[in-house]
Amino acid sequence: MTKNIIVGQSGGPTAVINGSLYGVVAEGLKHPDRIGRVYGMINGIEGFLQGHMMDIGSLDQTNELEMVRTTPGAYLGSCRYKLPESLEDAVYPQLFQKFEELGIGYFFYIGGNDSMDTVSKLSRYAQTIGSDIRFIGVPKTIDNDLVETDHTPGYGSAAKYVATVVREISADATVYDNKQSVTIVEIMGRHAGWLTAASILARKFEGDNPVLIYVPEVAFDQEAFIAKVTESLKHTPNLVVCISEGIHDEDGTFICEYSSEVGTDTFGHKMLTGSGKYLENLVKERLGVKVRSIELNVCQRCSCAHLSRVDLDESENAGIFAVLSALAGETGKMINFIRNKSVPYELSYGTADVNIICNQEKTVPLEWIIADGSDISNEFIDYVRPLTQGFVELPTKNGIPLFAYRK
Amino acid sequence: MTKNIIVGQSGGPTAVINGSLYGVVAEGLKHPDRIGRVYGMINGIEGFLQGHMMDIGSLDQTNELEMVRTTPGAYLGSCRYKLPESLEDAVYPQLFQKFEELGIGYFFYIGGNDSMDTVSKLSRYAQTIGSDIRFIGVPKTIDNDLVETDHTPGYGSAAKYVATVVREISADATVYDNKQSVTIVEIMGRHAGWLTAASILARKFEGDNPVLIYVPEVAFDQEAFIAKVTESLKHTPNLVVCISEGIHDEDGTFICEYSSEVGTDTFGHKMLTGSGKYLENLVKERLGVKVRSIELNVCQRCSCAHLSRVDLDESENAGIFAVLSALAGETGKMINFIRNKSVPYELSYGTADVNIICNQEKTVPLEWIIADGSDISNEFIDYVRPLTQGFVELPTKNGIPLFAYRK
């Protein structure tokens, strides 16, 4: 007897989250003896509760599914919705009744930390009622902050984006190289500095820009920062500094919070600027040099300009492996990556208990953060480089990438 | 008898400005009977006055010159330096003495409006003293605002960047498509909306995002804007709006100036936010929907992720044609582009009097701005599309583009 799949996406997007979706759908369709239809939740578990879903397996008849693979964002739509802590809540029987009506045997949820919480709760509830539906999480996050996995799908492409763009910004910064200047690049990452650390790949040679790199794993000292900038300007007149948005001082105050004192706008809103803008003003005030700050915006998580072939393939494989694991009887698991070797790069796929993943964050090891917290070590380069390799050619029309979208 | 070339770069960079530099150098080296060395000014005319230059022709012996071609920024370094208005100023004989010492017969300056002013002044001074040095300007600007040319080198790649990134941002914007949201994208262009207009290429179908596009050629009315956003949200729940940084109201006040009233930061600096940030707050205040604003940063002018093959080739050809024009005896000219046909795209290269170019700005024709100034017409698409075509493969190492740089 066949059972059906339901798959959903949750949390912030990545450039390759749809690669995992493609993997789940494509693999799901390869087992007609055991799997019937492949449904997609529209806007994750939140939309599903409101009855929003589609027969995504039917896209297989069109070019659309192939295009989904390289489309950034979340093809099915996402949500930020946390299931109630109490498994006694009425939402659980409600959900499982829907699963039963749809003949669901396999549930896949593609997301980060909070999404694994959803998988954890549903699998635990299933156990209490003796349901045999299998619940598997497929990791994704540009933040690379999930435990129990070497890295997360989505990180490699975001890291490659950051490295490339910081190299471009460094080229731009040296255009007026007869005048001193400081360029501060603010990169996503509130508690983990993985993405900011990847900016080290932008260096063309030892000592090249970005000369200074600050991650949130260690406390940020404004005076020490000014001293480092002063020192660095002596040998690098056009200095590029990369910082995580989440850098904070010793007592945990985010650096961006210092700028929240600046007042209110014409509507009475508190003016909040980022850490980069705050440090721009600090450097201008203290050193009197030309300074600019650049906030790498959502392109960090949605640009398909610098897709890593390795990352896209691994994302897809994570989706495939999720289906195979569910068919093998696993539930309450997240697909994880086990690195066998860095040179040459070899990866194995496995599963980890979702319950020990969902409320933890993996940060950059302190021994990889050097130079009083202003630089990253070469060990990190060995770690990150394999994840950013290989080129992905996108389908284009008139020179602009083609994306899939739900009509 | 051979004469030498001196070439310089000036003003803001583009992704392909070094393509023109490559064109000048490569073509210069092809005429050993008439051209001896090819010198480069470091940091334009300003650096040259201080004695900074290099023998850029000697790079021909290395791979470096080939890499210069696809390196963003300005390989020789740039400057923002205006020569004195009075040709009686002592700087002119000083410059021409240096030219004589170096055996210069041909002077090429790659830049925008202000750079053409330099070419104009030097060529006029040459005339007054009977010098036979030839002065030729090679256009570049992402702003596309030079008169007497169909378009400018650098614009096509920047337009392609904007179109691609706005399409990516639109994909990102629809991730939570069960909730209304407005995303405001601020694009470079203080007086001319060419680059902002190119965001229209991001639309996947009629009526797709960006639904609203505002350029600085027409006055921006805040109430009309709120009405358009309200109306558009009815059919597009995740609305993307593109604006030029230079949008202004009827009496010429820049929209970003409204936000300058917000107060001062902890250092006593006036807090200036962009037009996008101001409109973000306006929409939030008036409509209560989720709003974010994204400022496309310097990547607009330095990203090599979306180089247009057409743009890069034309940039290089502009450099080549500059050398050929100088050899043919022309001086006081800027290389210009004459479009013969859009379909199929056919371009001719010519020269225009630099004196009528240097203090004018070309803006988007008013008849291409439609829907009460909130949209761009299809005529513009026919104009811009050919300039964004074709893919350029960059040299890479470990997945990151390789750039040339002066040691």
mmCIF file of all heavy atoms in Angstrom, chain B residues 267-299:
data_model
loop_
_atom_site.group_PDB
_atom_site.id
_atom_site.type_symbol
_atom_site.label_atom_id
_atom_site.label_comp_id
_atom_site.label_asym_id
_atom_site.label_seq_id
_atom_site.Cartn_x
_atom_site.Cartn_y
_atom_site.Cartn_z
ATOM 1 N N PHE B 267 27.742 61.222 18.293
ATOM 2 C CA PHE B 267 28.896 62.079 18.021
ATOM 3 C C PHE B 267 28.474 63.477 17.584
ATOM 4 O O PHE B 267 29.295 64.300 17.238
ATOM 5 C CB PHE B 267 29.766 61.468 16.919
ATOM 6 C CG PHE B 267 30.141 60.061 17.194
ATOM 7 C CD1 PHE B 267 29.654 59.028 16.421
ATOM 8 C CD2 PHE B 267 30.964 59.758 18.266
ATOM 9 C CE1 PHE B 267 29.996 57.729 16.682
ATOM 10 C CE2 PHE B 267 31.309 58.448 18.529
ATOM 11 C CZ PHE B 267 30.820 57.429 17.750
ATOM 12 N N GLY B 268 27.164 63.717 17.550
ATOM 13 C CA GLY B 268 26.698 65.010 17.092
ATOM 14 C C GLY B 268 26.564 65.106 15.587
ATOM 15 O O GLY B 268 26.292 66.168 15.047
ATOM 16 N N HIS B 269 26.773 63.964 14.880
ATOM 17 C CA HIS B 269 26.576 63.982 13.427
ATOM 18 C C HIS B 269 25.099 63.976 13.114
ATOM 19 O O HIS B 269 24.332 63.254 13.741
ATOM 20 C CB HIS B 269 27.183 62.735 12.774
ATOM 21 C CG HIS B 269 28.656 62.668 12.879
ATOM 22 N ND1 HIS B 269 29.316 61.527 13.250
ATOM 23 C CD2 HIS B 269 29.611 63.605 12.687
ATOM 24 C CE1 HIS B 269 30.624 61.769 13.268
ATOM 25 N NE2 HIS B 269 30.814 63.025 12.930
ATOM 26 N N LYS B 270 24.719 64.726 12.096
ATOM 27 C CA LYS B 270 23.356 64.642 11.590
ATOM 28 C C LYS B 270 23.127 63.241 11.045
ATOM 29 O O LYS B 270 23.961 62.727 10.299
ATOM 30 C CB LYS B 270 23.162 65.662 10.466
ATOM 31 C CG LYS B 270 22.237 66.781 10.852
ATOM 32 C CD LYS B 270 21.837 67.604 9.642
ATOM 33 C CE LYS B 270 20.716 68.544 10.038
ATOM 34 N NZ LYS B 270 20.246 69.358 8.929
ATOM 35 N N MET B 271 22.061 62.604 11.431
ATOM 36 C CA MET B 271 21.772 61.278 10.908
ATOM 37 C C MET B 271 21.107 61.423 9.555
ATOM 38 O O MET B 271 20.007 61.954 9.464
ATOM 39 C CB MET B 271 20.815 60.532 11.838
ATOM 40 C CG MET B 271 21.450 60.079 13.125
ATOM 41 S SD MET B 271 22.769 58.877 12.836
ATOM 42 C CE MET B 271 21.805 57.484 12.258
ATOM 43 N N LEU B 272 21.761 60.945 8.526
ATOM 44 C CA LEU B 272 21.173 60.994 7.192
ATOM 45 C C LEU B 272 20.830 59.576 6.761
ATOM 46 O O LEU B 272 21.681 58.699 6.782
ATOM 47 C CB LEU B 272 22.168 61.575 6.196
ATOM 48 C CG LEU B 272 22.164 63.082 6.047
ATOM 49 C CD1 LEU B 272 23.399 63.516 5.300
ATOM 50 C CD2 LEU B 272 20.918 63.550 5.324
ATOM 51 N N THR B 273 19.601 59.336 6.428
ATOM 52 C CA THR B 273 19.305 58.037 5.849
ATOM 53 C C THR B 273 18.908 58.288 4.407
ATOM 54 O O THR B 273 18.656 59.421 4.005
ATOM 55 C CB THR B 273 18.154 57.335 6.585
ATOM 56 O OG1 THR B 273 16.982 58.110 6.410
ATOM 57 C CG2 THR B 273 18.448 57.188 8.060
ATOM 58 N N GLY B 274 18.849 57.232 3.634
ATOM 59 C CA GLY B 274 18.516 57.389 2.228
ATOM 60 C C GLY B 274 17.021 57.540 2.012
ATOM 61 O O GLY B 274 16.215 57.432 2.942
ATOM 62 N N SER B 275 16.670 57.756 0.747
ATOM 63 C CA SER B 275 15.260 57.878 0.372
ATOM 64 C C SER B 275 14.500 56.603 0.712
ATOM 65 O O SER B 275 13.350 56.647 1.141
ATOM 66 C CB SER B 275 15.141 58.120 -1.130
ATOM 67 O OG SER B 275 15.978 59.168 -1.521
ATOM 68 N N GLY B 276 15.159 55.461 0.514
ATOM 69 C CA GLY B 276 14.520 54.168 0.772
ATOM 70 C C GLY B 276 14.119 54.030 2.222
ATOM 71 O O GLY B 276 13.005 53.641 2.548
ATOM 72 N N LYS B 277 15.035 54.374 3.101
ATOM 73 C CA LYS B 277 14.777 54.271 4.537
ATOM 74 C C LYS B 277 13.637 55.226 4.925
ATOM 75 O O LYS B 277 12.765 54.877 5.728
ATOM 76 C CB LYS B 277 16.052 54.629 5.307
ATOM 77 C CG LYS B 277 15.999 54.295 6.779
ATOM 78 C CD LYS B 277 16.199 52.808 7.011
ATOM 79 C CE LYS B 277 15.928 52.403 8.450
ATOM 80 N NZ LYS B 277 15.830 50.945 8.577
ATOM 81 N N TYR B 278 13.658 56.412 4.344
ATOM 82 C CA TYR B 278 12.596 57.371 4.661
ATOM 83 C C TYR B 278 11.239 56.822 4.226
ATOM 84 O O TYR B 278 10.259 56.859 4.983
ATOM 85 C CB TYR B 278 12.864 58.722 3.970
ATOM 86 C CG TYR B 278 11.706 59.669 4.156
ATOM 87 C CD1 TYR B 278 11.529 60.356 5.356
ATOM 88 C CD2 TYR B 278 10.745 59.837 3.145
ATOM 89 C CE1 TYR B 278 10.431 61.186 5.542
ATOM 90 C CE2 TYR B 278 9.659 60.662 3.329
ATOM 91 C CZ TYR B 278 9.504 61.338 4.523
ATOM 92 O OH TYR B 278 8.416 62.147 4.712
ATOM 93 N N LEU B 279 11.183 56.284 3.012
ATOM 94 C CA LEU B 279 9.903 55.767 2.509
ATOM 95 C C LEU B 279 9.484 54.508 3.274
ATOM 96 O O LEU B 279 8.290 54.247 3.445
ATOM 97 C CB LEU B 279 9.998 55.484 1.003
ATOM 98 C CG LEU B 279 10.152 56.731 0.133
ATOM 99 C CD1 LEU B 279 10.250 56.346 -1.332
ATOM 100 C CD2 LEU B 279 9.000 57.720 0.344
ATOM 101 N N GLU B 280 10.458 53.728 3.748
ATOM 102 C CA GLU B 280 10.144 52.574 4.586
ATOM 103 C C GLU B 280 9.336 53.039 5.805
ATOM 104 O O GLU B 280 8.273 52.492 6.126
ATOM 105 C CB GLU B 280 11.452 51.895 5.048
ATOM 106 C CG GLU B 280 11.229 50.758 6.037
ATOM 107 C CD GLU B 280 12.543 50.214 6.625
ATOM 108 O OE1 GLU B 280 13.569 50.199 5.919
ATOM 109 O OE2 GLU B 280 12.529 49.818 7.807
ATOM 110 N N ASN B 281 9.847 54.081 6.442
ATOM 111 C CA ASN B 281 9.145 54.591 7.625
ATOM 112 C C ASN B 281 7.785 55.181 7.262
ATOM 113 O O ASN B 281 6.819 55.014 7.999
ATOM 114 C CB ASN B 281 10.016 55.628 8.336
ATOM 115 C CG ASN B 281 11.187 54.982 9.060
ATOM 116 O OD1 ASN B 281 11.139 53.799 9.390
ATOM 117 N ND2 ASN B 281 12.242 55.741 9.283
ATOM 118 N N LEU B 282 7.733 55.855 6.121
ATOM 119 C CA LEU B 282 6.464 56.459 5.686
ATOM 120 C C LEU B 282 5.397 55.388 5.475
ATOM 121 O O LEU B 282 4.260 55.517 5.952
ATOM 122 C CB LEU B 282 6.689 57.254 4.389
ATOM 123 C CG LEU B 282 5.459 57.961 3.806
ATOM 124 C CD1 LEU B 282 5.041 59.151 4.677
ATOM 125 C CD2 LEU B 282 5.725 58.446 2.380
ATOM 126 N N VAL B 283 5.764 54.328 4.768
ATOM 127 C CA VAL B 283 4.792 53.261 4.482
ATOM 128 C C VAL B 283 4.374 52.561 5.780
ATOM 129 O O VAL B 283 3.197 52.274 5.996
ATOM 130 C CB VAL B 283 5.370 52.240 3.471
ATOM 131 C CG1 VAL B 283 4.445 51.040 3.320
ATOM 132 C CG2 VAL B 283 5.594 52.900 2.115
ATOM 133 N N LYS B 284 5.352 52.310 6.646
ATOM 134 C CA LYS B 284 5.065 51.659 7.932
ATOM 135 C C LYS B 284 4.052 52.499 8.716
ATOM 136 O O LYS B 284 3.061 51.987 9.252
ATOM 137 C CB LYS B 284 6.376 51.531 8.723
ATOM 138 C CG LYS B 284 6.390 50.420 9.750
ATOM 139 C CD LYS B 284 7.762 50.316 10.430
ATOM 140 C CE LYS B 284 8.816 49.651 9.545
ATOM 141 N NZ LYS B 284 10.184 49.761 10.058
ATOM 142 N N GLU B 285 4.308 53.781 8.753
ATOM 143 C CA GLU B 285 3.465 54.711 9.508
ATOM 144 C C GLU B 285 2.053 54.787 8.931
ATOM 145 O O GLU B 285 1.062 54.741 9.655
ATOM 146 C CB GLU B 285 4.126 56.109 9.441
ATOM 147 C CG GLU B 285 3.377 57.212 10.143
ATOM 148 C CD GLU B 285 3.414 57.055 11.657
ATOM 149 O OE1 GLU B 285 4.265 56.301 12.155
ATOM 150 O OE2 GLU B 285 2.563 57.666 12.320
ATOM 151 N N ARG B 286 1.971 54.869 7.614
ATOM 152 C CA ARG B 286 0.686 55.136 6.980
ATOM 153 C C ARG B 286 -0.121 53.872 6.726
ATOM 154 O O ARG B 286 -1.343 53.891 6.771
ATOM 155 C CB ARG B 286 0.907 55.894 5.662
ATOM 156 C CG ARG B 286 1.518 57.296 5.859
ATOM 157 C CD ARG B 286 0.503 58.270 6.441
ATOM 158 N NE ARG B 286 -0.609 58.438 5.543
ATOM 159 C CZ ARG B 286 -0.609 59.275 4.494
ATOM 160 N NH1 ARG B 286 0.434 60.054 4.292
ATOM 161 N NH2 ARG B 286 -1.647 59.332 3.696
ATOM 162 N N LEU B 287 0.551 52.764 6.406
ATOM 163 C CA LEU B 287 -0.192 51.563 6.024
ATOM 164 C C LEU B 287 -0.078 50.425 7.036
ATOM 165 O O LEU B 287 -0.846 49.465 6.982
ATOM 166 C CB LEU B 287 0.277 51.065 4.647
ATOM 167 C CG LEU B 287 0.163 52.095 3.506
ATOM 168 C CD1 LEU B 287 0.578 51.466 2.192
ATOM 169 C CD2 LEU B 287 -1.255 52.655 3.407
ATOM 170 N N GLY B 288 0.874 50.532 7.938
ATOM 171 C CA GLY B 288 0.983 49.513 8.988
ATOM 172 C C GLY B 288 1.387 48.135 8.501
ATOM 173 O O GLY B 288 1.263 47.162 9.231
ATOM 174 N N VAL B 289 1.873 48.016 7.269
ATOM 175 C CA VAL B 289 2.314 46.712 6.787
ATOM 176 C C VAL B 289 3.802 46.521 7.068
ATOM 177 O O VAL B 289 4.503 47.468 7.422
ATOM 178 C CB VAL B 289 2.074 46.518 5.262
ATOM 179 C CG1 VAL B 289 0.589 46.494 4.958
ATOM 180 C CG2 VAL B 289 2.779 47.608 4.463
ATOM 181 N N LYS B 290 4.255 45.299 6.938
ATOM 182 C CA LYS B 290 5.679 45.000 7.092
ATOM 183 C C LYS B 290 6.445 45.650 5.935
ATOM 184 O O LYS B 290 6.081 45.478 4.766
ATOM 185 C CB LYS B 290 5.859 43.471 7.064
ATOM 186 C CG LYS B 290 7.232 43.008 7.498
ATOM 187 C CD LYS B 290 7.354 41.495 7.391
ATOM 188 C CE LYS B 290 8.826 41.130 7.289
ATOM 189 N NZ LYS B 290 9.071 39.837 6.671
ATOM 190 N N VAL B 291 7.459 46.414 6.239
ATOM 191 C CA VAL B 291 8.231 47.100 5.197
ATOM 192 C C VAL B 291 9.720 46.918 5.464
ATOM 193 O O VAL B 291 10.148 46.898 6.611
ATOM 194 C CB VAL B 291 7.982 48.624 5.184
ATOM 195 C CG1 VAL B 291 8.407 49.220 3.845
ATOM 196 C CG2 VAL B 291 6.565 48.966 5.498
ATOM 197 N N ARG B 292 10.495 46.781 4.421
ATOM 198 C CA ARG B 292 11.952 46.830 4.559
ATOM 199 C C ARG B 292 12.493 47.632 3.390
ATOM 200 O O ARG B 292 11.859 47.708 2.330
ATOM 201 C CB ARG B 292 12.559 45.424 4.583
ATOM 202 C CG ARG B 292 12.290 44.649 3.334
ATOM 203 C CD ARG B 292 12.918 43.255 3.354
ATOM 204 N NE ARG B 292 12.596 42.586 2.103
ATOM 205 C CZ ARG B 292 13.014 41.381 1.785
ATOM 206 N NH1 ARG B 292 13.739 40.691 2.627
ATOM 207 N NH2 ARG B 292 12.690 40.829 0.623
ATOM 208 N N SER B 293 13.627 48.249 3.586
ATOM 209 C CA SER B 293 14.260 48.932 2.463
ATOM 210 C C SER B 293 15.657 48.374 2.291
ATOM 211 O O SER B 293 16.320 47.986 3.255
ATOM 212 C CB SER B 293 14.316 50.447 2.693
ATOM 213 O OG SER B 293 15.093 50.748 3.822
ATOM 214 N N ILE B 294 16.068 48.276 1.047
ATOM 215 C CA ILE B 294 17.372 47.702 0.714
ATOM 216 C C ILE B 294 18.106 48.694 -0.174
ATOM 217 O O ILE B 294 17.584 49.107 -1.211
ATOM 218 C CB ILE B 294 17.194 46.365 -0.044
ATOM 219 C CG1 ILE B 294 16.482 45.352 0.860
ATOM 220 C CG2 ILE B 294 18.536 45.835 -0.524
ATOM 221 C CD1 ILE B 294 16.009 44.120 0.129
ATOM 222 N N GLU B 295 19.284 49.093 0.257
ATOM 223 C CA GLU B 295 20.072 49.999 -0.562
ATOM 224 C C GLU B 295 21.057 49.147 -1.344
ATOM 225 O O GLU B 295 21.929 48.516 -0.748
ATOM 226 C CB GLU B 295 20.810 50.956 0.393
ATOM 227 C CG GLU B 295 21.222 52.250 -0.246
ATOM 228 C CD GLU B 295 21.987 53.128 0.744
ATOM 229 O OE1 GLU B 295 21.637 53.152 1.938
ATOM 230 O OE2 GLU B 295 22.958 53.760 0.298
ATOM 231 N N LEU B 296 20.904 49.096 -2.637
ATOM 232 C CA LEU B 296 21.909 48.372 -3.425
ATOM 233 C C LEU B 296 23.193 49.185 -3.271
ATOM 234 O O LEU B 296 23.225 50.367 -3.571
ATOM 235 C CB LEU B 296 21.513 48.272 -4.896
ATOM 236 C CG LEU B 296 20.270 47.444 -5.213
ATOM 237 C CD1 LEU B 296 20.203 47.165 -6.710
ATOM 238 C CD2 LEU B 296 20.212 46.145 -4.438
ATOM 239 N N ASN B 297 24.201 48.565 -2.783
ATOM 240 C CA ASN B 297 25.396 49.324 -2.417
ATOM 241 C C ASN B 297 26.377 49.426 -3.569
ATOM 242 O O ASN B 297 25.989 49.378 -4.736
ATOM 243 C CB ASN B 297 26.016 48.714 -1.157
ATOM 244 C CG ASN B 297 26.219 47.221 -1.338
ATOM 245 O OD1 ASN B 297 26.739 46.798 -2.367
ATOM 246 N ND2 ASN B 297 25.800 46.432 -0.367
ATOM 247 N N VAL B 298 27.639 49.587 -3.261
ATOM 248 C CA VAL B 298 28.644 49.771 -4.317
ATOM 249 C C VAL B 298 28.732 48.604 -5.293
ATOM 250 O O VAL B 298 29.335 48.744 -6.359
ATOM 251 C CB VAL B 298 30.055 50.036 -3.728
ATOM 252 C CG1 VAL B 298 30.071 51.344 -2.968
ATOM 253 C CG2 VAL B 298 30.522 48.895 -2.847
ATOM 254 N N CYS B 299 28.127 47.463 -4.939
ATOM 255 C CA CYS B 299 28.147 46.323 -5.863
ATOM 256 C C CYS B 299 27.542 46.692 -7.211
ATOM 257 O O CYS B 299 27.878 46.094 -8.231
ATOM 258 C CB CYS B 299 27.408 45.133 -5.269
ATOM 259 S SG CYS B 299 28.171 44.534 -3.754
#
